[in-house]
Amino acid sequence: VKLQAWGTPPEPPTREPSDRPQLAADDASDSTSSIPEIDPVYSCLACRFPIFKSCEIISSNYRAQTSAGYLLSAARNVRVAETVQSATYTTGRYEVQEVACEACSAVLGVRYCGASDARNQYKVGKFLVGRDRLRLPPGTTHPMDKAKAKA
């Protein structure tokens, strides 16, 4: 199963130099407030292909198989295995499918496709991706890595 990649962003409108708005001296300090922030992108560690944006992180208080992890609402540029496997984690039993980078086939984590306990049903359809499989955006540290550094 192949998940859809992000679309190509539209080209910004171009203006002739004479069409550019002029800032008053008082407005100069606020000139960056109208610039939208770009949502940081997390990428595959092996090939740097973009996998998810920070707005898709539901929780970083998760443990993947080999490291701290992220529970995600969505992932892009990944392949989800058709094979469903049974897995037992600290919170219960689940049916999961392996998730790999579409570009290089590196295994990134799993997608929950079933949960035996009703209180874990909210995870179904979500992704669990290991921190050790990702290249984090510059200046970003996983909260569990921060806790380890303080200890």
Short mmCIF file of all heavy atoms in Angstrom, two decimals, residues 60-61 70 141-148:
data_model
loop_
_atom_site.label_atom_id
_atom_site.label_comp_id
_atom_site.label_asym_id
_atom_site.label_seq_id
_atom_site.Cartn_x
_atom_site.Cartn_y
_atom_site.Cartn_z
N SER A 60 4.77 12.15 21.57
CA SER A 60 6.17 11.69 21.53
C SER A 60 6.48 10.85 22.76
O SER A 60 7.62 10.51 23.01
CB SER A 60 7.11 12.89 21.43
OG SER A 60 6.88 13.78 22.50
N ASN A 61 5.46 10.50 23.52
CA ASN A 61 5.63 9.70 24.73
C ASN A 61 5.39 8.23 24.41
O ASN A 61 4.58 7.55 25.05
CB ASN A 61 4.65 10.19 25.81
CG ASN A 61 4.96 9.60 27.16
OD1 ASN A 61 6.10 9.21 27.43
ND2 ASN A 61 3.97 9.53 28.02
N TYR A 70 7.40 8.19 17.96
CA TYR A 70 6.33 9.17 17.75
C TYR A 70 5.07 8.44 17.31
O TYR A 70 5.13 7.59 16.42
CB TYR A 70 6.71 10.16 16.65
CG TYR A 70 7.88 11.05 16.97
CD1 TYR A 70 9.15 10.75 16.51
CD2 TYR A 70 7.70 12.21 17.73
CE1 TYR A 70 10.23 11.58 16.78
CE2 TYR A 70 8.77 13.03 18.01
CZ TYR A 70 10.03 12.72 17.54
OH TYR A 70 11.10 13.54 17.82
N THR A 141 14.83 18.02 19.39
CA THR A 141 15.27 16.87 20.18
C THR A 141 14.03 16.15 20.67
O THR A 141 13.06 16.78 21.09
CB THR A 141 16.10 17.34 21.40
OG1 THR A 141 17.18 18.14 20.94
CG2 THR A 141 16.64 16.17 22.18
N HIS A 142 14.04 14.83 20.60
CA HIS A 142 12.92 14.05 21.12
C HIS A 142 12.89 14.21 22.64
O HIS A 142 13.93 14.19 23.29
CB HIS A 142 13.09 12.57 20.74
CG HIS A 142 11.88 11.75 21.02
ND1 HIS A 142 11.57 11.32 22.29
CD2 HIS A 142 10.88 11.32 20.21
CE1 HIS A 142 10.44 10.63 22.25
NE2 HIS A 142 10.00 10.61 21.00
N PRO A 143 11.70 14.40 23.23
CA PRO A 143 11.61 14.59 24.68
C PRO A 143 12.28 13.50 25.51
O PRO A 143 12.86 13.79 26.55
CB PRO A 143 10.10 14.61 24.94
CG PRO A 143 9.51 15.08 23.66
CD PRO A 143 10.40 14.51 22.58
N MET A 144 12.25 12.24 25.05
CA MET A 144 12.91 11.17 25.81
C MET A 144 14.43 11.29 25.71
O MET A 144 15.12 10.88 26.64
CB MET A 144 12.43 9.81 25.32
CG MET A 144 11.02 9.50 25.71
SD MET A 144 10.56 7.84 25.22
CE MET A 144 8.84 7.80 25.64
N ASP A 145 14.94 11.87 24.62
CA ASP A 145 16.38 12.12 24.52
C ASP A 145 16.79 13.21 25.50
O ASP A 145 17.86 13.14 26.10
CB ASP A 145 16.77 12.54 23.10
CG ASP A 145 16.60 11.41 22.08
OD1 ASP A 145 16.52 10.24 22.50
OD2 ASP A 145 16.54 11.72 20.88
N LYS A 146 15.93 14.21 25.68
CA LYS A 146 16.21 15.28 26.64
C LYS A 146 16.27 14.74 28.05
O LYS A 146 17.15 15.10 28.83
CB LYS A 146 15.12 16.37 26.57
CG LYS A 146 15.15 17.21 25.33
CD LYS A 146 14.00 18.21 25.34
CE LYS A 146 13.93 18.95 24.02
NZ LYS A 146 12.76 19.85 23.97
N ALA A 147 15.32 13.85 28.40
CA ALA A 147 15.29 13.27 29.73
C ALA A 147 16.54 12.44 30.00
O ALA A 147 17.09 12.45 31.09
CB ALA A 147 14.03 12.42 29.91
N LYS A 148 17.00 11.70 28.98
CA LYS A 148 18.21 10.89 29.10
C LYS A 148 19.44 11.75 29.36
O LYS A 148 20.30 11.42 30.15
CB LYS A 148 18.42 10.10 27.81
CG LYS A 148 18.81 8.66 28.00
CD LYS A 148 19.10 8.01 26.68
CE LYS A 148 17.91 7.18 26.25
NZ LYS A 148 18.18 6.45 25.01
#
